[in-house]
Amino acid sequence: MATNITYHPSPVTPTVRSSLRRQQGLTIWLTGLSASGKSTIAVALEQALLRKPYNLSAYRLDGDNIRFGLNKDLGFSPKDREENIRRIAEVAKLFADSCTIAITSFISPYRADRDLARQLHHAERPGGEPGVPFVEIWIDVPVEVAEKRDPKGLYKKAREGKIPEFTGISAPYEEPLKPEIHIRSDQTSVEDSVKIIVGYLEEKGYLSAPPEVNEV
Amino acid sequence: MATNITYHPSPVTPTVRSSLRRQQGLTIWLTGLSASGKSTIAVALEQALLRKPYNLSAYRLDGDNIRFGLNKDLGFSPKDREENIRRIAEVAKLFADSCTIAITSFISPYRADRDLARQLHHAERPGGEPGVPFVEIWIDVPVEVAEKRDPKGLYKKAREGKIPEFTGISAPYEEPLKPEIHIRSDQTSVEDSVKIIVGYLEEKGYLSAPPEVNEV
């Protein structure tokens, strides 16, 4: 569809930007059932990264700021869910490219959609620079436990047939096959979940300032 | 369309985030004809903000990273142009909310679309906090000058009828009535344009670190 568009090289390459911002960008993609604890963990993780000792730029994308804004034209049909995740992946990638840690918190039930998000992030960037890291985290909880929690009463409505295509009840959740991190949220506290995630990011070197480059 | 969505309050309010990031977010919206110099000014402005003495987080949204990604499903019909600008405005707002200076560089020829972008930015944020600043900058050049520049040969193609609905030739450009800044790019160097914009941002206090807040 996009025609008449040419690519403008910028002197601010990804390497130069990371050096100037003293930070690497990446996307942390949380996936799991409704009421699995994704948003709670996302909020706690964002805070941990924003505050000491990290003082990093981090930003959450979730239903609150996406479904009411960018994606307010989309519903919950399979096609709209796919487009919802595609747009979120593209926006997360922009944040990661800008040297922020993007934290997405969406059910994202389909493997194909999550794989597309990963591919978008891993695609080479202009100037032959590599893509950005994509960390898929499965916030796993048995559907029975999620249904008992049901803080918004959504499972109840789904059982009553008032919400069609509700993930885990009347629509599938395709479990991640090889997530970078797998957390059983009914067996792990929010605090420990954040420790596990931050530990992984540290081990990978994602939280360290990148080397300064000469041309800066 | 978006149902079954509830709003999650976060302890990271906009004020807390600005204090932690030592930066305010805002959107700088460049508008003007093709070949008016928007992208050139955007690149130079982004560099100025990223580098000393400012060392701020700034990020450009332009055809390169939007039309090839998020909005690759959109064409150039009036309806698609409107949706293009709506999505860009929503994404810029997310960047501004994350305490980055978003710089958008799109023709954005319709007043109604730019006004919508402004309204989205000015809307109150969760917790009753005010919206984010929106700085509309008209990169103004007579169409004859733009057509002579024609670095991509687009005006030529438009004159030959090979590009339908080309702004300034076969589609309207609605001039901004009250832009925050008006730059005649055929009478102002890129360097001076950046000085004008940065001077405005400084005068408004947008480039200063916000006050630290107690709860941080």
Side-chain angles (χ1 to χ4, degrees), chain A residues 6 11 17 46-47 59 64 97, chain B residues 6 11 46-47 59 64 97:
Chain A
T6 52
R17 186 185 300 275
E46 182 190 36
Q47 285 221 61
Y59 192 68
D64 297 334
D97 185 52
Chain B
T6 52
E46 183 190 35
Q47 285 221 61
Y59 192 67
D64 298 334
D97 185 53

Side-chain angles (χ1 to χ4, degrees), chain A residues 124-135:
Chain A
E124 196 175 80
R125 284 185 285 180
E129 295 220 28
V132 284
F134 182 87
V135 179

Side-chain angles (χ1 to χ4, degrees), chain B residues 9-215:
Chain B
S10 159
V12 184
T13 63
T15 301
V16 170
R17 186 185 300 276
S18 286
S19 174
L20 287 167
R21 297 301 311 137
R22 313 297 307 131
Q23 175 169 350
Q24 301 172 61
L26 68 143
T27 289
I28 298 170
W29 189 280
L30 305 181
T31 172
L33 296 175
S34 180
S36 61
K38 295 181 303 299
S39 287
T40 308
I41 292 170
V43 165
L45 176 63
E46 183 190 35
Q47 285 221 61
L49 295 171
L50 281 169
R51 294 178 191 274
K52 290 175 191 165
Y54 301 107
N55 291 120
L56 292 166
S57 174
Y59 192 67
R60 277 181 308 122
L61 301 174
D62 59 21
D64 298 334
N65 57 16
I66 293 293
R67 277 281 187 185
F68 289 126
L70 178 66
N71 292 357
K72 71 179 173 192
D73 56 322
L74 301 175
F76 290 87
S77 71
K79 200 180 153 222
D80 277 8
R81 280 178 184 244
E82 183 184 335
E83 174 65 4
N84 181 51
I85 297 302
R86 185 191 73 82
R87 290 190 201 165
I88 291 159
E90 291 283 8
V91 173
K93 184 186 164 189
L94 291 171
F95 272 94
D97 185 53
S98 83
C99 297
T100 282
I101 299 174
I103 304 168
T104 69
S105 167
F106 297 89
I107 298 172
S108 46
Y110 299 118
R111 230 169 257 146
D113 295 345
R114 296 192 303 265
D115 287 348
L116 172 71
R118 181 184 295 269
Q119 283 160 28
L120 287 174
H121 282 75
H122 286 179
E124 195 176 80
R125 284 184 284 180
E129 295 219 29
V132 284
F134 181 86
V135 179
E136 184 177 353
I137 305 182
W138 181 15
I139 308 299
D140 179 19
V141 71
V143 68
E144 302 76 32
V145 177
E147 190 166 0
K148 262 187 208 157
R149 290 179 181 169
D150 205 16
K152 308 175 199 167
L154 297 177
Y155 283 91
K156 187 165 176 286
K157 281 189 191 165
R159 289 284 182 200
E160 293 165 358
K162 290 175 186 163
I163 306 176
E165 302 184 281
F166 190 81
T167 302
I169 301 295
S170 45
Y173 178 79
E174 297 177 357
E175 301 184 347
L177 298 179
K178 287 174 84 178
E180 275 72 12
I181 302 174
H182 179 183
I183 290 171
R184 271 290 295 257
S185 72
D186 56 333
Q187 297 169 2
T188 317
S189 69
V190 172
E191 197 183 2
D192 282 346
S193 300
V194 170
K195 276 186 194 160
I196 290 166
I197 298 168
V198 170
Y200 175 89
L201 299 176
E202 282 194 329
E203 191 189 300
K204 286 281 180 179
Y206 294 153
L207 304 187
S208 313
E212 293 199 46
V213 293
N214 284 336
E215 67 239 76

Side-chain angles (χ1 to χ4, degrees), chain A residues 5-193:
Chain A
I5 301 281
T6 52
Y7 170 69
H8 298 81
S10 160
V12 184
T13 63
T15 302
V16 169
R17 186 185 300 275
S18 288
S19 174
L20 288 166
R21 297 301 311 136
R22 314 298 307 133
Q23 176 170 350
Q24 301 171 63
L26 68 143
T27 290
I28 298 170
W29 190 280
L30 305 181
T31 171
L33 295 175
S34 181
S36 62
K38 295 182 302 299
S39 286
T40 308
I41 292 170
V43 166
L45 175 63
E46 182 190 36
Q47 285 221 61
L49 295 171
L50 281 169
R51 293 177 191 275
K52 291 176 193 166
Y54 301 107
N55 291 121
L56 293 166
S57 174
Y59 192 68
R60 276 181 308 121
L61 301 174
D62 60 22
D64 297 334
N65 58 16
I66 294 292
R67 276 282 186 185
F68 289 127
L70 178 66
N71 292 359
K72 70 178 173 192
D73 57 322
L74 301 174
F76 290 86
S77 70
K79 200 180 153 222
D80 277 9
R81 279 178 184 245
E82 182 185 334
E83 174 64 4
N84 182 50
I85 297 302
R86 184 192 74 81
R87 290 190 201 165
I88 291 160
E90 292 282 9
V91 174
K93 185 186 163 187
L94 291 171
F95 272 93
D97 185 52
S98 83
C99 297
T100 283
I101 299 174
I103 303 168
T104 68
S105 168
F106 297 89
I107 299 172
S108 46
Y110 300 119
R111 229 169 257 146
D113 295 344
R114 297 192 303 264
D115 287 348
L116 172 70
R118 182 184 294 270
Q119 283 159 28
L120 287 174
H121 282 75
H122 286 179
E124 196 175 80
R125 284 185 285 180
E129 295 220 28
V132 284
F134 182 87
V135 179
E136 185 177 353
I137 305 183
W138 181 15
I139 309 300
D140 180 18
V141 72
V143 68
E144 302 77 31
V145 177
E147 191 165 0
K148 263 187 206 155
R149 290 179 181 170
D150 205 14
K152 308 173 200 168
L154 297 177
Y155 283 92
K156 187 165 175 289
K157 281 189 192 165
R159 289 284 183 200
E160 293 165 358
K162 290 177 187 163
I163 306 176
E165 302 183 284
F166 191 80
T167 301
I169 302 296
S170 45
Y173 178 78
E174 297 177 357
E175 301 184 346
L177 298 179
K178 287 173 85 175
E180 274 73 12
I181 302 174
H182 178 183
I183 290 172
R184 271 289 296 257
S185 73
D186 55 334
Q187 298 169 0
T188 317
S189 69
V190 172
E191 197 184 1
D192 282 347
S193 299

